[in-house]
Amino acid sequence: MTNTADSQPTFTHQAELDTTGLYCPEPIMLMHNKVRDMQPGEILKVIATDPATTRDVPKFCSFLGHELISQQESDGQYLYFIRLG
């Protein structure tokens, strides 16, 4: 799911991970660590600046059974909301 900046939904999230300034593979490695501390059904908000996350985050979710409920990009910043499976 991709949303434009004009229609940014707000999700109640239980955890947030800011990977601003980090590049592949660091954002995904940090996501792995973060979801270990979370429960199924909780929502993780991820902030990134690495364009590779547009490919890596959906694959991360698909591979691990999480739901990517929102993916947004605005001015070089990427925002993801992930519901843990």
Side-chain angles (χ1 to χ4, degrees):
M1 171 186 285
T2 302
N3 298 309
T4 64
D6 294 336
S7 63
Q8 291 184 2
T10 302
F11 296 96
T12 301
H13 54 281
Q14 288 69 46
E16 183 173 316
L17 179 63
D18 187 351
T19 66
T20 301
L22 301 178
Y23 293 94
C24 185
E26 290 175 297
I28 298 302
M29 290 169 48
L30 291 174
M31 286 173 57
H32 274 289
N33 292 337
K34 192 69 166 179
V35 300
R36 286 185 186 132
D37 298 331
M38 297 177 68
Q39 299 299 314
E42 290 185 328
I43 295 177
L44 172 63
K45 176 182 178 181
V46 179
I47 303 163
T49 51
D50 181 5
T53 60
T54 61
R55 174 197 66 224
D56 296 341
V57 171
K59 286 184 179 182
F60 170 88
C61 292
S62 176
F63 185 74
L64 295 175
H66 304 309
E67 178 187 2
L68 179 58
I69 55 178
S70 178
Q71 176 178 339
Q72 305 164 29
E73 189 275 335
S74 179
D75 297 323
Q77 186 175 63
Y78 304 91
L79 182 62
Y80 305 93
F81 287 92
I82 301 163
R83 181 176 290 119
L84 273 62

